[in-house]
Amino acid sequence: MTTRRVGRLPDDLTSFVGRRGAITQVKRLVSASRLVTLTGVAGVGKSRLAMRVARDLRRAFPDGIWLVELGKVLPRDDLAQVLVTSLGLELSDLPPEAVLAEQLADKRMLILLDGCEHLLDECGPLVADLLAAAPEVRVLATSRAPLALAAERVWPVLPMVMPRLDRDGHVVQRATGFEVLELFADRASAVLPGFAIDPANEALVVRLCRQLDGLPLAIELAAVWMRSLSVEEILNRLSDRYRLLTLGDRSGLPHHRTLRAAVEWSFDLCSPTEQAVWARLSVFTGGFELDAAEAVCVGDGVTVEDVFIGVAGLVEKSVLVKEDDQPGARTRYRLLKTIQEYGRGRLGGGAKELALRRRHRDHFLLLAEHVDAEWLGPHQVEWLTRLRQDRSNLRAALDFCRAEPGEEHEGLRMAAALRFFWTAGGSLREGRYWLDEMLRAVSEPDQQRARALTVNGLVSAMQGDIEAARALLSEARDAARRAEYGSVLALIAHITGFVDLLRNENQAATSRLAEALERREMLQHDGVALLSLPNLALLAVFRGDCERAVELCEECREICEEHGELWGRSWAELVLGVARWRQGDFPGALEHVHECLRMKQLFDDVPGILMAIELEAWVSAAQGRVARAARLSSAVSHLWRPPGRYLFGLERYLAWHAEADARIRNALPTAELRAARTRGAEYTLDELIRFALGERPPAPSEEAPVRLTPREREVARLVAQGLSNRQIAEQLVISKRTSDSHIEHILAKLGATSRAQIAVWVAEQP
């Protein structure tokens, strides 16, 4: 009779926080596959997750769970002998590989190989032979790169999910990122008893965890500083995270004690090519595509092939994060801030880093100018999406131009070339900032300054700063005349007409735009000039000439269809809706409004979306659908956060809004009006768009988290404790009827049919 050997995992000296979904998924993988490898970047928590999974699976492996820590094992060591010793097998004269095969052949055990990344060449063959010889043995490995075996199932361990901050810096959607807050609170309270996350510090903790990339190791190291610093002080000192985050567990492996040691371990495991590419990629911020990496990194002994191989290798080693693929989207990669900062340190500054940052700037300058030149075409949405994805890189490039002597002119070129990113992309405030900055840096009245002044005039006008727009356009006109820049002079005429429209000087605007449109060739190659057609059409509606307005909008639509253009067409559809509404063709008006709305959605143009829905409110009021009109109008009022004035300050629009509002108030009883307006004020932008278009909300995903209210969660916990409905009511000081109602709602939300299922759900919660 043989004695079963039961392996021992080290005691958890700190609690395991979060990763509930990952624990469940990894346990499923281990039950279905004989080799599962947890991969991920340094400090992401692979070992802790593996040990937690192993503890949960003890009963499934009667011959034990065996931990083999490989961090101190060297490639020259005999790995098979290490396993024989670690698994407590009986020694013999046979080679260690034969001992493993013989003594594990009938065992049902789980072997946890922790830290395989530096022994991939040794681990792969040994694990393959072991699994072939012992059919009931399973292996759970942790590594920064897969073992690359056919039977292997790889589970990437990702950084912890973050709560989102709204525009005012308040935490929203906390349920999707509570684990990271729980981790920080748990570790901070261990060194500062009584510490808790509350409304006063919650947003700061979120910002701190974001700066730490959601890496558990970094968060734990930062929490140690709560002994002597506040959250805000820790956040302010993260400019050099590798000096700050050094107070790790002295009992751990050397490369787990500090953040630098953890990342340095990864760097040392990379090939020289991968190390060079890692360092060069550190000039990117927020992500990049492969063509950008090649444009920036190639040179000084690094070839295009080196970059391709280096990127692939860094992804394999969990240094580079490959972004989630969207259907038809270009592949993007990202360095976590922690990894980026280490790579930047490896560059060492000086001329080499300066050259890389200049190549980085050149790449994004060329991208901006390409989008500007080709804007009037079928790829507007894709280009705008790409610019938004590269927003951090664009900022870094502009900041380089501002800070580096001699680069100011390129910065001015870039800020002006991004005109459609600022305007169509809803980034007016940022555009104004960079244009102002670069115009201060470059004072010569040349063509670049004239163009930048013109773009800044347009951006300022759209912000609602009309007087600044007039001053900028006046200076732009003088600079363009001095530089004999005819195309900019022509463009200034279009923008000045638009400014007159916003100033409610309708006669001057009509004359200016009509004169600007005499150069019809501009409409075929400049997206800003094209907008003069719907602008002039709107002025025609203002004076009651709806037929002329329709003619101008149809001309705009023809040009847009010829080029496959959508941005200018969305405005033409909106003005067509206004014209049809004024003509009394309410169904026709709604068709144009909805067409405009669908296009505006593609651009995420919030002011344009709200303008379209405001028009739908007017149409609904005219149709007698006053409750619907009240909802729409109330929602627009609450969601309107443009950089400028409400409804762009157009007097005729404001008068039409007042007329519709009066019709709504006169038609609805006070209680119904209040209810409709309250409901409208509750809409999110997406909900409002669906309501306007008559679309149903998307069906919830089966994997979507269950959303219980705080009170329902409290009731669910009491159900799990075995309390009856009446006992719950007494404990919470509520009526039994209210208690019954809460439990009915909980059952419905969980899709459950019994109190036992509620108890199971509660037990699964973190």
Side-chain angles (χ1 to χ4, degrees):
M1 181 175 179
T2 59
T3 302
R4 288 179 176 172
R5 300 181 184 275
V6 180
R8 290 182 56 82
L9 296 178
D11 292 333
D12 246 347
L13 300 181
T14 57
S15 59
F16 185 88
V17 177
R19 303 288 197 191
R20 183 172 61 88
I23 292 169
T24 301
Q25 294 296 328
V26 174
K27 285 197 290 189
R28 288 176 183 169
L29 283 178
V30 173
S31 67
S33 306
R34 298 189 58 213
L35 171 60
V36 175
T37 303
L38 306 185
T39 62
V41 70
V44 80
K46 301 180 291 295
S47 299
R48 295 291 300 275
L49 175 59
M51 291 182 193
R52 171 57 188 269
V53 169
R55 284 190 174 88
D56 287 355
L57 293 174
R58 282 181 183 273
R59 294 183 180 179
F61 296 96
D63 291 305
I65 309 289
W66 295 85
L67 171 64
V68 182
E69 293 182 311
L70 300 178
K72 295 182 180 179
V73 178
L74 301 176
R76 65 174 178 269
D77 295 336
D78 188 334
L79 184 58
Q81 185 60 54
V82 170
L83 260 66
V84 168
T85 303
S86 299
L87 298 177
L89 302 182
E90 296 176 4
L91 300 178
S92 74
D93 294 333
L94 296 173
E97 291 84 358
V99 173
L100 289 170
E102 179 181 286
Q103 297 189 33
L104 298 183
D106 61 345
K107 295 295 187 289
R108 188 177 175 188
M109 64 168 58
L110 176 66
I111 300 174
L112 201 170
L113 295 179
D114 186 33
C116 302
E117 55 270 355
H118 62 303
L119 301 170
L120 294 178
D121 291 340
E122 294 78 15
C123 281
L126 182 61
V127 170
D129 291 343
L130 177 61
L131 294 178
E136 293 298 321
V137 168
R138 294 177 185 248
V139 174
L140 175 59
T142 72
S143 177
R144 299 184 191 182
L147 304 188
L149 298 179
E152 182 180 30
R153 294 294 300 274
V154 178
W155 175 268
V157 181
L158 302 177
M160 301 183 86
V161 178
M162 299 290 166
R164 194 163 56 83
L165 298 176
D166 63 17
R167 299 183 187 188
D168 300 320
H170 300 127
V171 176
V172 294
Q173 292 183 345
R174 188 174 186 271
T176 63
F178 68 91
E179 290 181 347
V180 73
L181 300 182
E182 186 182 354
L183 175 64
F184 184 86
D186 181 84
R187 301 305 190 254
S189 62
V191 299
L192 184 66
F195 173 81
I197 294 177
D198 55 34
N201 63 21
E202 187 177 52
L204 284 172
V205 174
V206 172
R207 286 174 53 201
L208 174 61
C209 293
R210 282 186 177 279
Q211 286 296 313
L212 297 172
D213 300 309
L215 294 176
L217 175 61
I219 292 168
E220 292 179 354
L221 293 172
V224 172
W225 281 99
M226 290 298 295
R227 287 193 188 101
S228 53
L229 299 173
S230 68
V231 177
E232 186 172 13
E233 287 169 333
I234 296 172
L235 185 60
N236 292 337
R237 290 173 180 270
L238 274 186
S239 57
D240 188 351
R241 67 190 66 202
Y242 289 113
R243 291 185 63 188
L244 182 69
L245 306 180
T246 57
L247 303 179
D249 180 3
R250 292 186 178 90
S251 67
L253 292 169
H255 59 275
H256 287 170
R257 293 178 191 168
T258 70
L259 191 61
R260 172 175 289 280
V263 177
E264 205 155 51
W265 174 262
S266 288
F267 190 81
D268 291 341
L269 293 173
C270 292
S271 69
T273 295
E274 290 166 347
Q275 291 177 347
V277 172
W278 177 346
R280 294 180 182 214
L281 291 175
S282 68
V283 300
F284 289 96
T285 60
F288 55 88
E289 297 177 4
L290 185 59
D291 64 338
E294 292 170 346
V296 173
C297 296
V298 168
D300 301 322
V302 175
T303 66
V304 172
E305 185 69 13
D306 289 336
V307 175
F308 177 76
I309 292 173
V311 166
L314 292 172
V315 171
E316 186 78 359
K317 290 180 172 63
S318 304
V319 173
L320 266 182
V321 178
K322 183 172 176 285
E323 301 283 8
D324 289 339
D325 291 331
Q326 299 295 327
R330 297 159 63 99
T331 301
R332 290 184 64 83
Y333 306 91
R334 177 170 56 90
L335 285 172
L336 299 180
K337 294 185 184 74
T338 302
I339 302 298
Q340 179 198 18
E341 187 175 317
Y342 183 86
R344 188 69 64 88
R346 284 285 177 167
L347 281 180
K352 183 177 180 180
E353 182 173 341
L354 180 63
L356 284 167
R357 294 187 66 195
R358 186 174 285 117
R359 290 206 293 266
H360 174 273
R361 188 276 318 281
D362 289 344
H363 174 78
F364 288 102
L365 172 59
L366 290 174
L367 173 64
E369 291 186 328
H370 178 75
V371 172
D372 186 32
E374 301 296 325
W375 176 257
L376 204 65
H379 303 297
Q380 292 174 328
V381 174
E382 293 92 329
W383 280 326
L384 198 55
T385 298
R386 186 171 181 184
L387 291 177
R388 282 176 172 148
Q389 289 174 331
D390 276 315
R391 183 187 295 272
S392 296
N393 284 308
L394 296 172
R395 289 171 177 165
L398 287 164
D399 194 52
F400 170 77
C401 293
R402 174 177 58 182
E404 192 64 32
E407 305 292 344
E408 301 88 351
H409 283 83
E410 267 54 38
L412 196 65
R413 275 176 60 192
M414 189 171 182
L418 288 168
R419 56 178 177 155
F420 292 109
F421 181 54
W422 310 136
T423 53
S427 299
L428 295 172
R429 182 179 301 176
E430 184 170 5
R432 178 79 178 274
Y433 170 80
W434 285 114
L435 286 159
D436 285 346
E437 285 289 296
M438 295 307 172
L439 284 167
R440 273 194 288 270
V442 179
S443 58
E444 300 87 0
D446 56 9
Q447 290 190 352
Q448 286 300 332
R449 182 172 175 81
R451 181 173 172 77
L453 286 164
T454 302
V455 174
N456 207 10
L458 173 63
V459 169
S460 301
M462 293 181 71
Q463 278 190 302
D465 193 350
I466 305 302
E467 295 310 311
R470 293 183 70 196
L472 287 162
L473 291 171
S474 176
E475 185 181 352
R477 190 179 297 107
D478 292 342
R481 284 171 178 163
R482 291 184 191 179
E484 298 181 351
Y485 203 178
S487 60
V488 165
L489 281 171
L491 186 60
I492 290 170
H494 288 274
I495 299 174
T496 304
F498 173 61
V499 172
D500 289 340
L501 169 62
L502 295 180
R503 296 183 73 218
N504 295 296
E505 295 181 357
N506 295 345
Q507 187 172 349
T510 300
S511 299
R512 186 99 61 180
L513 290 174
E515 182 180 348
L517 286 168
E518 290 178 2
R519 291 185 57 176
R520 312 300 285 186
E521 72 278 2
M522 278 197 74
L523 304 183
Q524 297 290 335
H525 62 79
D526 192 282
V528 172
L530 181 63
L531 293 178
S532 290
L533 287 170
N535 286 337
L536 190 59
L538 185 61
L539 288 161
V541 176
F542 287 171
R543 65 175 184 269
D545 190 354
C546 290
E547 291 185 3
R548 176 58 178 159
V550 171
E551 289 176 5
L552 289 165
C553 288
E554 291 296 349
E555 181 182 356
C556 181
R557 291 212 304 178
E558 288 176 9
I559 295 172
C560 292
E561 288 176 6
E562 178 184 346
H563 292 275
E565 198 269 3
L566 293 176
W567 173 245
R569 181 173 173 176
S570 68
W571 290 110
E573 295 289 350
L574 180 64
V575 178
L576 277 169
V578 176
R580 296 304 185 196
W581 168 60
R582 298 306 294 172
Q583 289 175 323
D585 180 5
F586 302 143
L590 288 178
E591 284 184 17
H592 291 299
V593 167
H594 290 173
E595 187 68 15
C596 168
L597 193 51
R598 292 186 184 96
M599 293 179 185
K600 293 294 187 188
Q601 271 188 285
L602 297 173
F603 292 93
D604 195 24
D605 173 14
V606 176
I609 288 169
L610 295 178
M611 287 287 289
I613 293 175
E614 174 75 18
L615 174 55
E616 178 155 351
W618 302 343
V619 175
S620 295
Q623 291 176 312
R625 304 165 69 192
V626 286
R628 176 182 176 82
R631 276 198 196 186
L632 293 168
S633 181
S634 174
V636 170
S637 297
H638 280 80
L639 291 171
W640 185 279
R641 293 181 180 179
R645 297 169 293 173
Y646 182 64
L647 298 178
F648 296 115
L650 294 171
E651 290 179 353
R652 192 59 58 89
Y653 270 16
L654 294 170
W656 287 336
H657 170 81
E659 291 172 9
D661 190 56
R663 181 172 292 178
I664 292 167
R665 283 187 283 105
N666 292 334
L668 278 179
T670 302
E672 291 183 30
L673 176 62
R674 185 181 299 114
R677 285 182 170 168
T678 299
R679 181 68 187 95
E682 293 172 348
Y683 280 127
T684 65
L685 184 63
D686 289 340
E687 290 170 341
L688 177 59
I689 293 170
R690 286 197 296 268
F691 177 65
L693 294 174
E695 297 174 348
R696 293 183 177 181
S701 166
E702 293 182 2
E703 298 181 358
V706 176
R707 307 286 188 184
L708 298 188
T709 66
R711 175 63 92 179
E712 288 168 349
R713 283 182 171 271
E714 191 174 12
V715 171
R717 284 193 290 269
L718 295 175
V719 169
Q721 294 171 18
L723 273 66
S724 68
N725 289 20
R726 184 171 298 282
Q727 289 171 323
I728 292 171
E730 291 172 355
Q731 181 155 335
L732 298 180
V733 195
I734 58 177
S735 69
K736 181 178 178 298
R737 184 175 180 180
T738 301
S739 173
D740 295 341
S741 177
H742 281 315
I743 292 173
E744 288 177 8
H745 291 158
I746 293 167
L747 289 168
K749 289 183 177 181
L750 297 181
T753 57
S754 70
R755 300 167 73 87
Q757 289 173 304
I758 296 177
V760 170
W761 181 84
V762 170
E764 292 177 343
Q765 302 309 297

